[in-house]
Amino acid sequence: MRDLALCLFLFFLTNCVSSVPTKEEFESCLSTISKSPNNLTNHTSDSIIYTASLESPSPDISFLNLNFTSLKPILTLKPKSESEIKKSILCSKKLGVQVRTLSGGHDYEGLSYLSLSPFIIINLVNLRTININLTEETAWIQSGATLGELYYKIAETSKIHAFAAGTCPSVGVGGHFSGGGLGAMMRKHGLASDNVVDARLMDVNGRILNRRTMGEDVFWALRGGGAASFGVVLSWKVKLARVPEKVTCFISQHPMGESMNKLVHRWQYIGAEIDENLFIRAIINNNQKGDQRRVKTSFQGLFLGGVDRLIPLMNQKFPELGLRAQNCSEMSWIESTMFFNWKSGQPLETMLNRDLRYEDLYYKAKSDFVQKPVPENVFEEITKRFLEKETPLMILEPLGGRISEISETDSPYPHRRGNLYIIQYMVKWKVNEVEEMNKHVTWMRMLYDYMTPYVSASPRGAYLNYRDLDLGNNTGSFEDARIWGEKYYRGNFKKLGLVKGKIDPTNFFRNEQSIPPLF
């Protein structure tokens, strides 16, 4: 039966290819609107990226993720103006192909550059201007910019301003802002999406709308609901945060064993409740020395203040960690972003590198929200499981503070009061083969299943920016989409569907986990 399903799946893909508009047809359409279709990257439209066969050991068709089943894009456009984006959207509608909008290319399941249906990519790399207004303490940022480019520009302009967003500088602002945007200052200043105050959206008809003309419901949806479901966000206006000229960072590493497990267990009671100026995350991974593999936990911290205030606070709230002044470093905020990206001491221009990626080529990630402390013995079991893999990873990031002060209906991101921390699970590998993928994905799914009793439930929460197609895919039914949609958005999913029905009633902007329209 599974072989039959796989055959039907491949037959469907092969037949889809026969009706794909050609590159020449798309360029012809563009030329009817503009004399020269510039800034195009060509791809062969009649090929499928697929490495499995019927003899593959794949036990389940759901293992065949988009890395192996995606069509190639008809072409990739790198527009240099907003008018070029409009032409691309109108031609895509006319020719019946989907659009994938790429800001930084970090979607965990590749939905910004992969598709089972004929598609083009609109790569926003040439639209990344950043304009900072210190009088208003705001910035307008085009969606093609990366977090690193934004942070660098802020630091060039001011020593006392920052923006609360993620720790990976090569992530594009477009996807990061529209999915929520966790970061090291979120307990003090909220998520990136909480600090978006305006946006410019191009809709399915090529109209450019701002917050006033799109309406508050659409603007609400863009701030955590995944903007790719509603159109192409051209630029974002954000509120900057004030920071001290000097902040304090530290890292405290602990090898596997009973004491490590006790520290992680104790951290659960502290991370979300401590002073909102302090962010301490726990990173569990492997340390390979020769043939010996050991698990370690690193506590990585940012304090928005000096070490003279941090040490008394830690001695009072988390003395078990044994933090001392000599373990800490005072630095500027921009230097702290380098610290959290493991780039301390390197030139700040490193932040401008858009191509920073994991050395490992492939990975599978999942997420969970924890609402009550996990028993200590769970971390013992995690240690045992981690020893089975070369590069497993768990990042535990504390919530609380400003995040909990905001209502779960104020934006589509609902995981606020009552959540202690978020877990990001990841496993990486280097061989691009289905058998290798199956092995690692199976391990990840088993770890995820093991954690079921200890994390949020009804529904089990998930974070959109750690996208996970295991949760479900679009079938065309809004009711079916609730299965995965309410994990990301909880009770906000219905409102997102109604907004989608208003701004994109024909469901033109869609992907495997886009918001289905509801009327």
Side-chain angles (χ1 to χ4, degrees):
M1 181 61 70
R2 285 171 178 161
D3 284 351
L4 176 60
L6 180 57
C7 289
L8 291 173
F9 182 69
L10 294 176
F11 176 79
F12 167 76
L13 286 176
T14 304
N15 278 275
C16 282
V17 169
S18 64
S19 60
V20 176
T22 65
K23 170 179 66 70
E24 291 75 18
E25 288 173 327
F26 205 97
E27 290 178 343
S28 176
C29 177
L30 290 173
S31 68
T32 64
I33 304 174
S34 173
K35 291 184 179 179
S36 57
N38 295 324
N39 308 316
L40 305 181
T41 302
N42 299 333
H43 293 267
T44 304
S45 62
D46 59 349
S47 58
I48 298 175
I49 305 170
Y50 184 71
T51 60
S53 67
L54 294 184
E55 288 72 41
S56 161
S58 173
D60 185 344
I61 196 167
S62 63
F63 276 117
L64 302 177
N65 69 7
L66 289 176
N67 285 316
F68 293 94
T69 58
S70 176
L71 300 176
K72 287 187 177 180
I74 297 168
L75 50 78
T76 297
L77 300 100
K78 297 180 179 179
K80 294 183 178 178
S81 68
E82 295 173 349
S83 62
E84 292 179 44
I85 298 176
K86 178 176 180 177
K87 297 165 191 173
S88 303
I89 291 174
L90 296 180
C91 284
S92 297
K93 285 176 60 180
K94 179 179 178 180
L95 296 174
V97 301
Q98 292 187 15
V99 168
R100 293 290 185 268
T101 305
L102 191 150
S103 175
H106 281 71
D107 186 288
Y108 274 21
E109 295 281 13
L111 297 193
S112 59
Y113 53 87
L114 300 172
S115 175
L116 294 176
S117 301
F119 72 111
I120 65 163
I121 295 174
I122 299 178
N123 186 338
L124 300 176
V125 64
N126 291 323
L127 298 173
R128 58 182 197 268
T129 300
I130 300 167
N131 291 311
I132 294 175
N133 184 328
L134 288 183
T135 303
E136 288 187 353
E137 297 185 297
T138 60
W140 271 106
I141 311 146
Q142 287 188 303
S143 286
T146 64
L147 295 180
E149 290 168 342
L150 171 60
Y151 296 164
Y152 187 87
K153 183 71 171 181
I154 293 172
E156 271 192 327
T157 310
S158 170
K159 294 182 179 180
I160 60 168
H161 288 88
F163 185 68
T167 58
C168 179
S170 60
V171 167
V173 302
H176 187 71
F177 292 2
S178 73
L182 305 176
M185 295 200 301
M186 62 184 173
R187 301 192 63 252
K188 175 69 173 180
H189 296 291
L191 308 178
S193 58
D194 295 333
N195 293 285
V196 172
V197 295
D198 204 345
R200 298 177 67 252
L201 173 74
M202 184 172 290
D203 72 2
V204 66
N205 297 311
R207 298 179 302 166
I208 297 177
L209 309 171
N210 60 21
R211 180 174 181 173
R212 180 183 62 81
T213 55
M214 74 177 72
E216 285 299 310
D217 53 351
V218 177
F219 180 67
W220 172 89
L222 299 181
R223 297 181 301 113
S229 292
F230 307 101
V232 177
V233 176
L234 305 171
S235 54
W236 307 80
K237 185 179 183 182
V238 301
K239 184 70 174 176
L240 301 179
R242 289 204 173 201
V243 292
E245 286 196 31
K246 291 293 181 181
V247 302
T248 305
C249 291
F250 66 86
I251 187 164
S252 178
Q253 296 186 332
H254 302 265
M256 70 179 185
E258 184 179 353
S259 61
M260 183 192 86
N261 296 332
K262 287 184 179 298
L263 277 175
V264 180
H265 182 256
R266 178 62 183 146
W267 169 87
Q268 296 178 100
Y269 294 86
I270 297 165
E273 302 298 329
I274 205 166
D275 189 312
E276 64 183 10
N277 289 291
L278 179 55
F279 173 87
I280 308 172
R281 68 179 181 179
I283 303 170
I284 306 173
N285 62 359
N286 280 355
N287 184 26
Q288 189 90 20
K289 289 188 177 181
D291 296 332
Q292 190 175 25
R293 182 180 296 168
R294 295 182 65 83
V295 179
K296 73 176 189 298
T297 296
S298 303
F299 294 91
Q300 192 177 34
L302 168 68
F303 180 63
L304 300 176
V307 68
D308 59 325
R309 291 174 50 210
L310 171 62
I311 296 302
L313 176 63
M314 289 294 289
N315 287 340
Q316 178 187 5
K317 299 294 186 179
F318 198 7
E320 297 87 348
L321 194 62
L323 189 70
R324 299 290 180 263
Q326 57 264 34
N327 307 131
C328 304
S329 298
E330 291 188 342
M331 60 189 72
S332 65
W333 165 75
I334 188 66
E335 290 170 333
S336 78
T337 66
M338 299 282 287
F339 176 88
F340 267 79
N341 197 47
W342 312 99
K343 302 291 183 182
S344 291
Q346 296 189 24
L348 291 182
E349 285 71 25
T350 304
M351 303 290 289
L352 304 178
N353 184 353
R354 298 179 63 94
D355 297 321
L356 289 176
R357 295 290 190 275
Y358 290 113
E359 292 180 3
D360 309 79
L361 297 180
Y362 307 99
Y363 61 86
K364 174 62 182 175
K366 287 180 169 291
S367 62
D368 264 321
F369 288 88
V370 176
Q371 297 176 334
K372 59 182 180 180
V374 172
E376 187 176 322
N377 67 290
V378 171
F379 297 107
E380 297 175 11
E381 176 64 23
I382 289 170
T383 296
K384 294 176 185 177
R385 290 171 181 256
F386 268 42
L387 290 172
E388 300 170 359
K389 288 291 172 186
E390 183 179 352
T391 52
L393 175 69
M394 282 176 64
I395 303 178
L396 287 55
E397 296 195 308
L399 302 174
R402 178 60 182 153
I403 294 174
S404 295
E405 295 170 358
I406 299 172
S407 166
E408 69 176 47
T409 60
D410 276 4
S411 76
Y413 175 91
H415 311 289
R416 298 188 182 269
R417 183 176 297 276
N419 291 280
L420 297 178
Y421 60 93
I422 180 175
I423 302 175
Q424 177 181 187
Y425 311 89
M426 186 176 288
V427 64
K428 297 176 280 183
W429 64 94
K430 296 181 179 180
V431 180
N432 185 25
E433 295 178 356
V434 170
E435 182 177 5
E436 190 74 6
M437 180 185 72
N438 287 354
K439 181 173 64 176
H440 289 86
V441 171
T442 298
W443 181 88
M444 173 61 75
R445 289 174 174 170
M446 291 175 67
L447 175 61
Y448 185 75
D449 289 344
Y450 170 75
M451 292 296 293
T452 301
Y454 311 111
V455 297
S456 62
S458 302
R460 183 175 184 171
Y463 175 43
L464 180 64
N465 279 354
Y466 302 154
R467 192 187 297 279
D468 182 6
L469 290 180
D470 283 354
L471 303 180
N473 294 279
N474 273 324
T475 64
S477 162
F478 186 85
E479 287 303 312
D480 288 347
R482 285 183 185 272
I483 296 171
W484 56 265
E486 291 183 354
K487 295 179 186 295
Y488 291 133
Y489 309 112
R490 296 181 63 85
N492 294 326
F493 187 58
K494 181 177 180 180
K495 182 176 178 180
L496 285 168
L498 292 170
V499 172
K500 171 72 168 181
K502 172 184 175 182
I503 192 71
D504 183 21
T506 63
N507 200 24
F508 172 73
F509 291 106
R510 65 188 184 275
N511 59 47
E512 284 68 24
Q513 272 190 357
S514 58
I515 305 295
L518 183 64
F519 304 98

